[in-house]
Amino acid sequence: MTVESTGVVSVESLAVRASKFAALSEPARLRIVDLLALGDLSPTEIQLALGIGSNLVSHHLSVLQRAGILSRSRSESDGRRNYVRLVPGAFDRLAPEPISAPARVVFVCTANSARSQMAEALWQDRSDVPVASAGSRPASEVNPGAVRAAARHGVRISPSVPRATAEVLRHGDFVITVCNRAHEELGGLDDLHWSIPDPAAPATDEAFDEAFRDIRLRVDEFVSRLAPGAG
């Protein structure tokens, strides 16, 4: 299972997103979108705000309209004048497609004593999707530094003994490696890789806190992309 297989991404959806990003890639067009964020403007008002010629404003507006970002309407007071507005929800589809919830997420690091344990605890705190952790070369115990770091951030690592990947992994698991060695040892059998520096090497509170914060950001981002009702 991969990220792509957990959500359907159509060619049409990618084309729509690409056209909008292309339209927004020009600074003047991005400025027009900013100006329209809270209200409607006439092309003349946009021209005055940007300080550019009317022909160039007309070109930018046409590009944005073709991309489905803005629309125009005639003034009911002066039919020669039109107003430009942002299309409601125009940017809703710019983000990547939601991800269908996997049957289970498994975090893997080398020893299953720090990074994967923190990731498992954070996932349990953020999502109802089942989770486990494992190590390619499991240690004899969970690193106390990881336990303390999690506690400092209001998350509890459940008492457990590190386990080997062969003992934990099963068909259908979504595997996320959280250390480079495990990623390289699995040889592409993981679905995602997060390159988290090993906090056990310096073994300082700062190192464990930094690893915890990095993992928390990544877990929160992944959970936020799960389809509604899947988290």
Side-chain angles (χ1 to χ4, degrees), residues 198-210:
D198 184 6
T204 62
D205 286 350
E206 291 77 12
F208 280 102
D209 285 341
E210 180 60 30

Side-chain angles (χ1 to χ4, degrees), residues 111-114 117-118 139-147 157-162:
N112 189 214
S113 63
Q117 292 283 348
M118 290 190 288
S140 59
E141 63 179 2
V142 176
N143 193 308
V147 176
I157 293 180
S158 301
S160 61
V161 176

